[in-house]
Amino acid sequence: MPGTTATRTAYRTCPLREATCGLTLTIADDRVTHVRGDREHVFSHGYVCPKRAPFPQLLADPDRLRRPLLRVDGTLREVGWDEAFAAVEAGLAAARAGGPDAVAAYLGNPNVHTMAGGLHVCPLVRALATRNLFSAGTVDQMPKHVSSGYLYGDPNAIPVPDLDRTDLLVLLRANPWESNGSLCTALRG
């Protein structure tokens, strides 16, 4: 029927943070038109942080990269994947001429939101053989590891508050209700 828009609903996990909130996407003509929290999601129960609000605009942004870009003579141009990977290989080889630690890897949060991240990141880091590995955790969670190392003798012994049996919890410069509890994930009652 002319003028009719095919609309469907899709359920996804938010790829923007480690809180793994459930999303309900409204899709019309293969474009996300609305995003809200999935009330049936076993973990987030409809909660989503403010980052999900511009999700449709983010996906439809005309400046969003959809194909690899290669800088040639100071100008970016679209290229195919074979040419892009060849440029990466040449650039890494040149950088590694200074030794394996001349290269650093930064792994952002989206790596933990996909199977590809789990399958490809470790082999890539091993192949690079660099000690210079950074992540979103080194930016926003490393102080917690350092303080846990000093306090408890192990940087991975991060205490998780027993929220269900806590009578008084004082938080300074934090809002776990808004963040859905980064490093202290808790179900909302």
Side-chain angles (χ1 to χ4, degrees), residues 14 57 122 148:
C14 182
Q57 292 86 350
C122 289
S148 291

Side-chain angles (χ1 to χ4, degrees), residues 5-89:
T5 301
T7 301
R8 64 186 175 93
T9 300
Y11 299 94
R12 299 290 184 268
T13 299
C14 182
L16 301 176
R17 296 184 51 249
E18 83 280 3
T20 63
C21 298
L23 300 178
T24 301
L25 309 177
T26 302
I27 302 171
D29 294 328
D30 292 325
R31 290 180 54 126
V32 175
T33 58
H34 184 72
V35 179
R36 66 178 170 81
D38 177 2
R39 290 180 179 88
E40 301 298 318
H41 190 266
V42 68
F43 180 69
S44 58
H45 303 287
Y47 169 83
V48 285
C49 75
K51 288 185 178 183
R52 67 94 187 132
F55 208 63
Q57 292 86 350
L58 176 69
L59 293 173
D61 190 323
D63 292 330
R64 182 175 178 217
L65 294 179
R66 289 169 172 78
R67 293 184 44 86
L69 298 178
L70 184 61
R71 189 176 306 278
V72 178
D73 297 325
T75 303
L76 290 174
R77 66 176 176 85
E78 281 191 356
V79 297
W81 286 104
D82 289 341
E83 189 175 353
F85 282 122
V88 169
E89 183 179 7

Side-chain angles (χ1 to χ4, degrees), residues 100-116:
D101 290 331
V103 175
Y106 179 86
L107 309 171
N109 277 352
N111 286 305
V112 298
H113 299 284
T114 68
M115 291 297 290

Side-chain angles (χ1 to χ4, degrees), residues 53-183:
F55 208 63
Q57 292 86 350
L58 176 69
L59 293 173
D61 190 323
D63 292 330
R64 182 175 178 217
L65 294 179
R66 289 169 172 78
R67 293 184 44 86
L69 298 178
L70 184 61
R71 189 176 306 278
V72 178
D73 297 325
T75 303
L76 290 174
R77 66 176 176 85
E78 281 191 356
V79 297
W81 286 104
D82 289 341
E83 189 175 353
F85 282 122
V88 169
E89 183 179 7
L92 279 173
R96 292 200 58 187
D101 290 331
V103 175
Y106 179 86
L107 309 171
N109 277 352
N111 286 305
V112 298
H113 299 284
T114 68
M115 291 297 290
L119 293 172
H120 303 297
V121 168
C122 289
L124 172 64
V125 170
R126 276 194 300 275
L128 290 174
T130 181
R131 293 179 302 171
N132 299 318
L133 181 60
F134 306 94
S135 70
T138 60
V139 174
D140 70 359
Q141 296 171 0
M142 195 50 62
K144 189 68 161 176
H145 291 282
V146 171
S147 65
S148 291
Y150 281 122
L151 289 169
Y152 310 114
D154 182 346
N156 293 315
I158 297 174
V160 177
D162 186 355
L163 298 177
D164 293 332
R165 289 181 282 278
T166 298
D167 293 324
L168 174 65
L169 177 64
V170 178
L171 299 170
L172 302 173
R173 298 183 58 95
N175 187 347
W177 184 263
E178 189 61 37
S179 71
N180 206 17
S182 182
L183 264 183

